[in-house]
Amino acid sequence: MSQTSSPAANQAFAELGLGPELLSALTLLGYEEPTPIQQAAIPHLLAGRDLLGLAATGTGKTAAFALPLLQLIETGGKVPQVLILVPTRELAVQVAQAVHRYGREMSVEVLPIYGGQSFHQQLKVLKRGVDVVVATPGRALDHIRRGTLHLGGLIALVLDEADEMLDMGFAEDLDAILAEVPKKRQTLLFSATLGARITSIAAKYLIDPVEVRIKAEDETSGDVPLVRQTAYLVRRPHKLVALGRVLDLESPEAALIFCRTRNDVDDLVEALNGRGYRAEAMHGGMSQEERDRTMKKLRANAVDLLVATDVAARGLDISHLTHVVNYDVPSAPKSYVHRIGRVGRAGREGVAITLAEPREHSLLRNIERLTKQKITVESLPTVADLQARRLELTRASVRESILEGGLERFRVVVESLSDEFDLVDIALGAVKMGHEASLSGTDTDDEEIPTETPFQEKKRAGSQPNKSPSFKGKGGPERSGSVKRLYIGVGRAAGVRPKDLVGAIAGEAGIHGRQIGSIQIAEKFSIVEVFDGVADQVMQALRGARIKGQKVTVREDRGR
Ligand code: AMP
């Protein structure tokens, strides 16, 4: 796909006051337009104001503070000019990477500092001179006390995810650090929530701050279309496999898949096509001619997945769209509404699916507040779900073929076999052949995806054990009733994969794949959910069986 620069995108960022080096970095990253928090914060930050930002992760807040601060510093100095304090080492690394990407053309030196990493290495880089330090409070304080981190040259201090830092007990460390930074400086505080403690540290550290909130509540809800809305919690590395599973289960007639950046669009299109889907890109880096060609293919049903950025999808009219998929949670609730408005038109059922990282969960709640509609968080389709779905498709094809007629010429095959075999067995053999032929060439992905379910979230919140509504599918009597969790004493260490467990359970206990729910595989054991009614049968059957050559312990798991 061509990577022509997008003047419109550049202009939107340029209008916020960002300079050419940053603009070209953004073009390279494939950002097409500023997110609401960036719109609201960047001009004030460039003007040197303090800022209180109420925004969760996923809103684009990192760029909202990093871009203007990068513009305000002079790179190449000996001591840091910006200190960004964050609650965790993961975030330190992530924010440092973001700063590095945004500041690449300015040769910005950025260093993440966190506990657990060698002091020596950090010291070496600090001595060489850095422009921006991203640190967890504890480790920053260690360096300050050893005299290895000098804050006298700071022009700006950022407290990122301040509510988390307070929750983690960093309040005193923050006070101690704040005592070391120059009085004349710019201070930015970001928090997902605004409690009494945040108000009080804001009052203590910020001077006449601009307040920027991403206010879901105040936007008018307008007419939100009636669409089935589902979200899956998936960590980024598993998103592609997760998307494949969801697409296989949903079999959309035509779907619009949204990504945040142009680069994400191109990468996803390539990955999907590599997996046997028919996907095309639509983004701001494409010429009008390229867009027209893509739309033509879509209308002619030569493509069934269109992967797009928000900007590029604006104004597209795709009448046969059945599904909208958010590969990431959109950075503003309003764009979620725009996106899902693409389906469910003219009284037809539409489906909106969102793949959210577990830490973006709160963004989903913001969206629900705006739309006043529920987004159901479900666990990802399991391998068993997919197998059941594939069998369902085979069943439908067999039925269709019977209704279609023209079967007479095959009668001789059946009759000649009937001397030797039972008719049902002959039918089973034929169905197996058809089923396997229909699978050939498709990507029967059975990669394990760790469950990031509301189930786990509930567990963390300490609520209801032993009740997991994680069975999905299209109705059927076996889809109701409660669920038992079985502990099976074999896991990843023995090379067990979900399909081994499904195979063993379905094979040994003679039950249907649909009666198996989510599967979690740990190092030394696995937890499999099955319907209550078949749990005893499964336990008995597995006790006599071998999985990956091992006899295994099987019992009901009452751990939760
Ligand atoms: P954050 O809320 O800072 O964690 O950012 C969430 C994600 O949005 C990151 O992956 C950023 O790279 C991405 N992002 C930030 N700003 C934009 C933008 N204007 N356009 C597209 N993606 C963005």
Side-chain angles (χ1 to χ4, degrees):
M1 199 52 59
S2 68
Q3 282 290 312
T4 48
S5 72
S6 165
N10 251 329
Q11 193 178 333
F13 281 106
E15 275 167 11
L16 300 178
L18 297 175
E21 286 159 325
L22 292 168
L23 295 179
S24 96
L26 293 176
T27 305
L28 270 177
L29 286 170
Y31 288 14
E32 299 204 323
E33 63 177 355
T35 66
I37 183 134
Q38 291 161 8
Q39 287 271 10
I42 290 174
H44 292 298
L45 291 176
L46 286 174
R49 294 281 301 268
D50 280 5
L51 181 123
L52 173 59
L54 283 169
T57 178
T59 53
K61 70 180 159 71
T62 313
F65 67 75
L67 293 168
L69 293 183
L70 285 175
Q71 180 144 320
L72 294 176
I73 62 175
E74 275 176 37
T75 55
K78 216 56 196 143
V79 293
Q81 293 173 66
V82 174
L83 173 64
I84 302 167
L85 293 172
V86 296
T88 63
R89 72 164 77 174
E90 289 77 21
L91 201 60
V93 171
Q94 205 176 307
V95 170
Q97 280 171 345
V99 169
H100 173 74
R101 284 198 297 265
Y102 300 139
R104 195 172 325 194
E105 307 243 332
M106 311 169 68
S107 310
V108 167
E109 289 291 336
V110 52
L111 175 70
I113 293 186
Y114 48 83
Q117 191 197 29
S118 106
F119 252 108
H120 181 71
Q121 181 60 23
Q122 293 172 352
L123 258 180
K124 229 169 65 184
V125 184
L126 280 171
K127 272 199 185 134
R128 214 169 54 209
V130 294
D131 303 305
V132 178
V133 169
V134 188
T136 51
R139 191 42 90 93
L141 203 55
D142 285 347
H143 273 284
I144 292 169
R145 292 195 171 135
R146 288 176 180 218
T148 47
L149 176 61
H150 302 280
L151 299 181
L154 281 199
I155 63 155
L157 174 77
V158 182
L159 306 174
D160 192 13
E161 305 205 350
D163 45 355
E164 293 272 330
M165 289 200 279
L166 294 181
D167 284 349
M168 291 171 72
F170 282 133
E172 282 178 16
D173 287 359
L174 291 182
D175 282 336
I177 295 169
L178 262 291
E180 302 290 328
V181 303
K183 289 271 168 297
K184 191 171 157 348
R185 56 149 207 270
Q186 203 173 347
T187 313
L188 287 57
L189 188 156
F190 286 88
S191 173
T193 55
L194 184 63
R197 288 183 311 163
I198 292 293
T199 323
S200 109
I201 68 163
K204 194 152 75 177
Y205 300 141
L206 304 178
I207 300 170
D208 184 28
V210 197
E211 251 188 67
V212 175
R213 301 181 187 216
I214 298 307
K215 282 182 281 191
E217 304 84 356
D218 291 0
E219 295 176 23
T220 52
S221 69
D223 41 330
V224 179
L226 278 173
V227 170
R228 167 160 69 85
Q229 298 174 56
T230 307
Y232 298 97
L233 300 184
V234 204
R235 286 181 202 281
R236 182 150 284 278
H238 303 291
K239 276 203 173 171
L240 182 61
V241 174
L243 176 65
R245 269 195 206 172
V246 170
L247 289 174
D248 290 350
L249 196 77
E250 294 275 346
S251 340
E253 192 181 322
L256 184 55
I257 304 176
F258 284 97
C259 289
R260 278 191 179 127
T261 69
R262 197 189 288 179
N263 300 5
D264 291 346
V265 167
D266 283 339
D267 291 349
L268 186 58
V269 166
E270 201 175 311
L272 285 171
N273 286 327
R275 290 175 162 240
Y277 299 94
R278 301 186 307 167
E280 285 268 338
M282 181 66 83
H283 59 55
M286 291 164 58
S287 69
Q288 191 55 44
E289 207 187 342
E290 285 174 309
R291 287 161 182 250
D292 291 345
R293 214 177 310 137
T294 299
M295 286 309 289
K296 232 180 178 164
K297 280 196 206 162
L298 198 70
R299 294 210 174 92
N301 290 326
V303 160
D304 21 51
L305 306 174
L306 188 68
V307 186
T309 55
D310 283 298
V311 175
R314 250 165 239 161
L316 289 186
D317 182 23
I318 314 162
S319 56
H320 62 301
L321 210 58
T322 53
H323 288 65
V324 162
V325 180
N326 299 306
Y327 197 62
D328 304 285
V329 185
S331 55
K334 229 170 155 176
S335 35
Y336 179 88
V337 177
H338 284 157
R339 289 177 179 190
I340 70 167
R342 301 325 200 81
V343 287
R345 286 172 173 177
R348 297 191 318 165
E349 196 211 11
V351 181
I353 288 164
T354 304
L355 303 184
E357 296 206 41
R359 46 191 265 116
E360 291 171 340
H361 203 228
S362 71
L363 292 184
L364 295 176
R365 300 286 89 89
N366 280 349
I367 293 168
E368 285 182 333
R369 238 174 282 140
L370 170 66
T371 60
K372 305 200 171 53
Q373 289 182 12
K374 179 110 192 83
I375 301 176
T376 318
V377 179
E378 290 199 14
S379 33
L380 272 173
T382 60
V383 176
D385 285 324
L386 285 189
Q387 285 171 345
R389 167 80 178 150
R390 291 186 191 117
L391 283 176
E392 231 169 70
L393 293 176
T394 297
R395 181 187 160 281
S397 312
V398 171
R399 190 167 181 278
E400 214 169 282
S401 148
I402 297 171
L403 292 174
E404 221 174 64
L407 301 174
E408 269 314 305
R409 66 196 179 98
F410 301 108
R411 185 174 292 275
V412 54
V413 178
V414 177
E415 281 181 355
S416 66
L417 284 168
S418 69
D419 294 342
E420 199 182 340
F421 301 103
D422 184 69
L423 280 179
V424 171
D425 287 336
I426 300 171
L428 290 175
V431 170
K432 178 176 173 230
M433 272 174 61
H435 183 72
E436 285 173 357
S438 75
L439 290 182
S440 71
T442 52
D443 191 357
T444 49
D445 216 323
D446 57 4
E447 181 178 322
E448 181 200 345
I449 303 180
T451 330
E452 309 283 351
T453 57
F455 185 63
Q456 284 198 337
E457 290 227 330
K458 272 196 222 139
K459 182 190 138 209
R460 278 185 212 115
S463 77
Q464 301 217 351
N466 267 346
K467 236 196 197 167
S468 163
S470 56
F471 290 79
K472 284 169 301 302
K474 309 265 185 278
E478 66 270 63
R479 296 264 146 195
S480 52
S482 61
V483 159
K484 277 215 169 97
R485 294 163 46 82
L486 304 185
Y487 167 98
I488 300 178
V490 66
R492 209 178 298 124
V496 164
R497 289 166 308 165
K499 74 169 184 194
D500 302 315
L501 295 172
V502 173
I505 294 168
E508 297 293 334
I511 68 160
H512 203 290
R514 291 177 73 173
Q515 292 167 307
I516 306 170
S518 77
I519 294 178
Q520 289 163 275
I521 300 185
E523 198 56 23
K524 294 275 169 52
F525 65 92
S526 308
I527 301 289
V528 177
E529 293 177 338
V530 296
F531 276 106
D532 214 339
V534 298
D536 286 338
Q537 187 185 337
V538 171
M539 283 192 283
Q540 274 197 348
L542 287 185
R543 279 182 190 133
R546 288 175 182 270
I547 299 177
K548 288 269 163 190
Q550 294 186 24
K551 286 196 75 80
V552 295
T553 314
V554 184
R555 57 176 158 76
E556 192 183 340
D557 177 53
R558 297 178 194 270
R560 299 184 189 199

